Amino acid sequence: MIMWRTHFDPYPDPPDINPFCGTPVGDNSEVSTDWKHVDCKKCLKLRTKADNFVKETEALIVKDMGGMVDFLHEVS
């Protein structure tokens, strides 16, 4: 019996869906950005690492956006 698993992917973007645990997504799985739907044991074990990755990534995005705002103020 094949078990259906929901993996964590903080930034799912079909067709490039990459669960945080590295498991290939096939017909018997899906991804979610919401931990309450995740039941993959590998993803759940990596939750702290995944949460830290998301925080660091979003901090970099905010920093880059701030740099863009500064640049636009200089140009105008």
Side-chain angles (χ1 to χ4, degrees), residues 37-49:
H37 300 293
V38 174
D39 61 0
C40 167
K41 290 180 183 179
K42 288 181 185 178
C43 287
L44 293 170
K45 186 175 181 180
L46 295 169
R47 183 172 181 169
T48 299
K49 187 175 182 179

Side-chain angles (χ1 to χ4, degrees), residues 1 24 30-31 40 62 66-67 72:
M1 182 170 139
E30 61 181 33
V31 296
C40 167
V62 169
L72 291 174

Side-chain angles (χ1 to χ4, degrees), residues 9-69:
D9 187 351
Y11 307 108
D13 186 18
D16 299 323
I17 294 176
N18 299 305
F20 200 80
C21 67
T23 302
V25 176
D27 293 338
N28 62 336
S29 60
E30 61 181 33
V31 296
S32 178
T33 60
D34 189 341
W35 281 108
K36 70 181 176 185
H37 300 293
V38 174
D39 61 0
C40 167
K41 290 180 183 179
K42 288 181 185 178
C43 287
L44 293 170
K45 186 175 181 180
L46 295 169
R47 183 172 181 169
T48 299
K49 187 175 182 179
D51 287 343
N52 288 337
F53 169 78
V54 171
K55 287 178 188 174
E56 291 171 9
T57 301
E58 291 179 0
L60 289 172
I61 291 169
V62 169
K63 181 180 176 185
D64 287 346
M65 290 172 65
M68 179 58 83
V69 169

